[in-house]
Amino acid sequence: MVQRPPNILLITADQLRYDCVGYSCVYPVQTPNLDRLAAQSTAFHHAYSHIPVCCPARQSMLHGRRAETIGALWNYNAFLPVGSLQPEHYTWSAALAQNGYRSAFLGKWGVNPSEEPTSFGYDSYVSETEYREFRKNRYPELAYTNGYFGETNPIPLEDSETHWFAERAIEAIDQLNTGEEPWHVAVHFAEPHLPCRPAGRFADMYDPEEIPEWHGFRETFEGKPYIQQQQLVSWGVENYTWADWAPVVARYYGIISQLDEAIGRILDALEQNGAAENTVVIFTADHGDMCGSHRMMDKHYVLYDDVVRVPLMISWPGRLQSGAAIEDFVYNLLDLGPTVLELAGIGDEPPVKFHGQSIVPPLLNGSGPTQDFIGRDEIVASYNGQQFGLYTQRMIRTRTWKYIWNLTDTDELYDLQSDPAELANVIGEAANGEVVAELRQRLYDRLAADEDPVVTNEWTRRQLLNGAKLHK
């Protein structure tokens, strides 16, 4: 008897930094359930978001290609009109449906302003709007007063958004888990995206006085693009000290721990209903969050590791490695489509060229090179603008260097061996000329291969390539 394909449970967080999960062993955030999942999974310690903005990242995740190729430059609800993924575009979620998977989508969407997940292969959808209606009906007098800086959530933990969606996810899994057909459940939590409002015991779980400074907090902006310091003024945090930021970060920690408990409930239910053995569980985030690092807020106009490095773990009991740590560079979102399709046994060639690659081989074989997997020696990410204005950036990161091409301002170069916090921009040092030239050429080659429109333009292409020549 041929074993049916595995179930696929995809869980994502919104704006969760890699260094803010317990198993990263960087900051003192308690995530016992994610740590437990990591111990049962293959954990990727160098997973990167290719575009740290919510809507473009989520559209790329389903499409498998860089957001710029479909015109998804920034969040469609936050600035000038912009393109977005359409139902006629290829998505791996629709490919799963075409191959017999039943599916449910819960939580944050951000893929299309008018079309719901049911237009992209999903059978059902539980939205954030439904949660807000639930909360409004149950707590009609509820009012939040501290804006994006967050505050304690006065409602019971069981009625918080994290736990409400966990219960809806458990219900969806129970409904789909009949044993006859494989299923795919996508649970996209909105946490820990600001504003952070931890509830119950998580509200005061972390003492602000004991929160350590981010490694990148002591930012001077010397030699940095103007827009970074301008962001402090835009958010009104230009005079914030660490004493001002620590309570905000404490709430960020608290909502992460609260999210961790909600995820733990889903994982426990998966075990209890007997579905865990044949379910691939994938956990990741769309991107990270500054949350006071470099004295900045949110994630815009920068490509620091604070916003591009994210957690990623994949488990399948008895079939994939358990407790393995992979150090190869991977794209958590661009690599997701080809990986899911391979795990699901769907070998049909997609009608589009994926910009990522399947990371199944290292899941099976370990952290070393394998016949079917060529580890990357670089990561490329992009940014195009948001509610404060247009701003085009492209980044290439290696193990030792990060180069950021800012098309309308000073470029950035960081020596990641001596300055892992990315505090000193060394783009102007003559000794780095050859490094800059090489990175610019490599960045161009990757952008051209991935059909990024920014290098098909004569003027911007000349800026990147002629700049490389000037540094030789």
Side-chain angles (χ1 to χ4, degrees), residues 142-155 193-200 202-204 247-252 254-255 258:
L142 178 66
Y144 299 115
T145 60
N146 203 34
Y148 283 110
F149 295 94
E151 59 207 287
T152 295
N153 195 340
I155 69 176
H193 191 296
L194 72 171
C196 297
R197 296 179 178 128
F202 297 102
D204 57 1
V248 179
V249 180
R251 288 190 285 271
Y252 183 69
I255 201 67
Q258 179 178 317

Side-chain angles (χ1 to χ4, degrees), residues 88-102:
E88 60 268 24
H89 287 136
Y90 172 85
T91 58
W92 56 260
S93 52
L96 288 180
Q98 292 160 7
N99 283 271
Y101 274 78
R102 296 181 300 146

Side-chain angles (χ1 to χ4, degrees), residues 277-294:
E277 183 176 349
N278 197 37
T279 298
V280 173
V281 178
I282 304 170
F283 174 78
T284 192
D286 56 354
H287 51 77
D289 192 321
M290 298 304 288
C291 198
S293 184
H294 295 266

Side-chain angles (χ1 to χ4, degrees), residues 52-291:
V53 183
C54 300
C55 293
R58 292 166 186 278
Q59 292 168 53
S60 280
M61 178 186 66
L62 289 183
H63 187 45
R65 290 167 56 81
R66 292 188 182 272
E68 289 82 8
T69 63
I70 55 171
L73 303 179
W74 47 77
N75 290 340
Y76 51 70
N77 58 355
F79 197 52
L80 298 171
V82 72
S84 62
L85 192 68
Q86 299 298 317
E88 60 268 24
H89 287 136
Y90 172 85
T91 58
W92 56 260
S93 52
L96 288 180
Q98 292 160 7
N99 283 271
Y101 274 78
R102 296 181 300 146
S103 59
F105 189 105
L106 305 96
K108 185 163 184 173
W109 178 225
V111 171
N112 185 284
S114 57
E115 300 288 343
E116 295 186 346
T118 50
S119 297
F120 295 85
Y122 288 94
D123 297 316
S124 63
Y125 174 39
V126 180
S127 69
E128 292 179 286
T129 298
E130 291 178 62
Y131 171 72
R132 288 191 288 267
E133 291 175 350
F134 159 81
R135 186 179 62 193
K136 182 178 180 180
N137 290 334
R138 182 159 293 193
Y139 305 100
E141 304 301 321
L142 178 66
Y144 299 115
T145 60
N146 203 34
Y148 283 110
F149 295 94
E151 59 207 287
T152 295
N153 195 340
I155 69 176
L157 180 62
E158 295 303 314
D159 288 342
S160 68
E161 189 165 354
T162 53
H163 288 50
W164 188 89
F165 268 110
E167 289 305 311
R168 304 293 80 73
I170 292 168
E171 292 170 359
I173 292 171
D174 287 341
Q175 292 170 3
L176 293 172
N177 192 45
T178 64
E180 299 173 359
E181 298 172 301
W183 51 260
H184 163 48
V185 171
V187 191
H188 295 283
F189 287 99
E191 293 78 16
H193 191 296
L194 72 171
C196 297
R197 296 179 178 128
R201 63 184 178 279
F202 297 102
D204 57 1
M205 185 173 183
Y206 297 95
D207 183 350
E209 294 186 1
E210 297 180 0
I211 300 292
E213 286 186 8
W214 300 118
H215 297 153
F217 179 70
R218 300 286 172 135
E219 179 64 78
T220 66
F221 300 106
E222 181 179 356
K224 301 286 185 86
Y226 161 81
I227 199 167
Q228 293 191 23
Q229 195 163 5
Q230 173 60 37
Q231 280 296 289
L232 274 63
V233 178
S234 297
W235 284 101
V237 296
E238 62 269 32
N239 297 316
Y240 268 36
T241 65
W242 184 249
D244 298 306
W245 274 113
V248 179
V249 180
R251 288 190 285 271
Y252 183 69
Y253 282 17
I255 201 67
I256 292 170
S257 293
Q258 179 178 317
L259 170 65
D260 176 81
E261 181 176 275
I263 292 171
R265 292 188 177 192
I266 298 173
L267 299 177
D268 289 344
L270 197 66
E271 292 278 355
Q272 293 165 8
N273 68 15
E277 183 176 349
N278 197 37
T279 298
V280 173
V281 178
I282 304 170
F283 174 78
T284 192
D286 56 354
H287 51 77
D289 192 321
M290 298 304 288
C291 198

Side-chain angles (χ1 to χ4, degrees), residues 6-11 23 33-44 183 263 267 270-271 275-284 312-324 326 336 339-340 343-344 359-360 362-364:
N7 308 312
I8 307 290
L9 173 59
L10 171 62
I11 304 175
Y23 70 86
N33 294 289
L34 289 176
D35 297 350
R36 168 169 58 105
L37 180 61
Q40 300 167 354
S41 305
T42 295
F44 293 85
W183 51 260
I263 292 171
L267 299 177
L270 197 66
E271 292 278 355
E277 183 176 349
N278 197 37
T279 298
V280 173
V281 178
I282 304 170
F283 174 78
T284 192
L312 173 64
M313 62 186 85
I314 304 176
S315 75
W316 186 5
R319 300 294 295 272
L320 302 178
Q321 290 194 93
S322 177
I326 302 295
L336 187 60
T339 299
V340 166
L343 290 171
I359 54 176
V360 170
L363 294 174
L364 299 170

